[in-house]
Structure formats: C-alpha cells, structure tokens
Amino acid sequence: MQKIWGAALTAGAVLLMGMRPAAAEDVPKNIYQWVQSTARQGYYFNKEQIQYAADAHGHIDLTKLIVPTLRIYDNIQIQDVVSKRRWRMLSLSGYGDLTGAAEYLLIDLRAGVVHVTAHEDLDSRWGALSREENTKEFKLSELSDKDVEKKFFDAIITYAAEHQEELIQRSNGILSDADRKSLSKKRADRAENYDKNNKKNAKKNKKNKKK
C-alpha cells in the first residue's frame, strides 16, 4: 500500500511530502508538538490539525477532540513491529523502511475515553505501509498517571484547553448558542480576573516603591 498519509486524510494530519523523518530531529516542529520520548519511541501530535468534532446537527462538540498523532520508532521498536507482523503472517512489503506510525485519536472528554480510530505504519517518506481501523480504546480512569499513554493523552487535552479558541476556529462546524454564551462568560471572567490581578500588582509595586 503506497497511500500517502497526508493525502489520505481530510480532517487529519497534513504532512510535508518529500521530507524524510528518519529521526526525531527531522520532525517539523512548526507542525508537531513533541510530548515525550521513551526508550522505544517519540510521541508527537499535530498541533496544526487538532480540532473539535461536530455533532449530527453541525454544531462543534467541545467534548470531543480529533487528533492526528505521530510516533517515531527506534531500531528495537521497528524490529518488534516487524517480528509481530511476521508472526501474524502479515505482509512485510516496505517494512525494511519502517520509521514510525500515525494514529488518529477521537478523545471523548466527557466519557474519559480515547478511541484510536486508525493506525498506519509509516515509511521514511510518510507513506502508509498498512492501515488498521478502530484498533484500540483507552479509559483514562484506568491508566496510571505514570503510564506513557496517559501522559501523552493528558498533554494533548491540556494543549487543547489552552488553545480552545484556535481549535474552535479550525473545527468544521458552528458553536451552539449555549456554548457561545458559556464561552463569552469565560472570556468576561478571564478579563475581570486579569484586571483585578493588574490592579493588585500595581498597588503592590506602589507600596514597594514607597518602602
């Protein structure tokens, strides 16, 4: 299968053709947010494509995140993937150039569940060597805080919360009236707290100057 990962997605990751991500330092930092590296692989998510899902009525669902992710493998992880495919009697065509994997996540914030909607093994030219649908599901409450997957998911959720406005602009849908009112209130509260903190700091600085 020589399908290109970036071309295969409409709401997923847009990857740069022609780049050869043979090592973690080759991953474009303007597109991917690095989260962590273990002994076997580096974990990234696409910060240019992370967005909210939309419900059946076309309203942006602020409780569900769509996230394309990337993992860069070391040689041991590559050998492990190849060995498992050989054991399962799956095709090894192109796996001599295996570099990592793309996984597409649907994170249900309300339910606390991460659905891996697709997994693609990638070669060094971002080509998809194979694709599996709906491969895994994680319940966040069942993962230890020390679990590398939990740390990865938590980092994505935190990033989304800190860049909510950006994600809303990128998402394919419209905000419901209720969500729009709720967000407006949050903005007003943030502005009020910001003003209070500024006034508090100004008074503190004034007292320090007098001393």
Side-chain angles (χ1 to χ4, degrees), residues 20 78 94-100 122-125 129:
R20 297 178 61 80
I78 289 171
Y95 274 78
D97 193 30
L98 177 64
T99 295
L122 304 176
D123 63 21
S124 64
R125 294 183 182 275
L129 299 170

Side-chain angles (χ1 to χ4, degrees), residues 5 41 76 157 184 198 211:
W5 179 31
Q41 54 191 302
I76 295 176
I157 292 169
S184 294
N198 278 346
K211 290 180 180 179

Side-chain angles (χ1 to χ4, degrees), residues 51-62 64-66 106 171-174:
Q51 59 187 274
Y52 292 107
D55 63 20
H57 303 288
H59 291 128
I60 294 171
D61 188 341
L62 298 177
K64 291 184 174 67
L65 294 170
I66 297 173
L106 173 61
S171 302
N172 297 314
I174 58 173

Side-chain angles (χ1 to χ4, degrees), residues 21-176:
E25 57 266 24
D26 295 323
V27 177
K29 295 180 176 61
N30 62 314
I31 297 177
Y32 295 97
Q33 179 71 38
W34 173 84
V35 173
Q36 63 189 356
S37 292
T38 67
R40 294 290 191 89
Q41 54 191 302
Y43 291 71
Y44 304 79
F45 66 89
N46 191 316
K47 60 186 176 183
E48 283 196 346
Q49 294 296 321
I50 180 174
Q51 59 187 274
Y52 292 107
D55 63 20
H57 303 288
H59 291 128
I60 294 171
D61 188 341
L62 298 177
T63 70
K64 291 184 174 67
L65 294 170
I66 297 173
V67 194
T69 69
L70 174 67
R71 302 181 187 222
I72 299 297
Y73 295 158
D74 73 348
N75 289 333
I76 295 176
Q77 182 67 17
I78 289 171
Q79 292 170 15
D80 186 51
V81 172
V82 171
S83 295
K84 286 180 179 177
R85 288 188 66 84
R86 185 179 291 114
W87 182 79
R88 293 167 62 192
M89 300 181 69
L90 298 174
S91 172
L92 294 176
S93 176
Y95 274 78
D97 193 30
L98 177 64
T99 295
E103 286 193 339
Y104 311 104
L105 312 182
L106 173 61
I107 302 178
D108 189 328
L109 300 172
R110 181 175 293 161
V113 176
V114 178
H115 304 274
V116 182
T117 60
H119 173 102
E120 293 181 351
D121 287 333
L122 304 176
D123 63 21
S124 64
R125 294 183 182 275
W126 300 117
L129 299 170
S130 64
R131 180 181 175 90
E132 295 180 75
E133 306 283 344
N134 301 313
T135 59
K136 287 176 286 187
E137 182 177 291
F138 298 90
K139 292 185 178 179
L140 295 175
S141 62
E142 296 178 357
L143 298 177
S144 164
D145 288 338
K146 296 180 180 180
D147 189 295
V148 293
E149 299 293 341
K150 177 69 158 53
K151 291 179 180 178
F152 187 43
F153 301 147
D154 284 348
I156 292 172
I157 292 169
T158 298
Y159 180 93
E162 293 174 349
H163 296 79
Q164 187 175 54
E165 297 289 345
E166 181 183 330
L167 268 63
I168 290 172
Q169 292 298 320
R170 185 182 299 134
S171 302
N172 297 314
I174 58 173
L175 283 173
S176 66

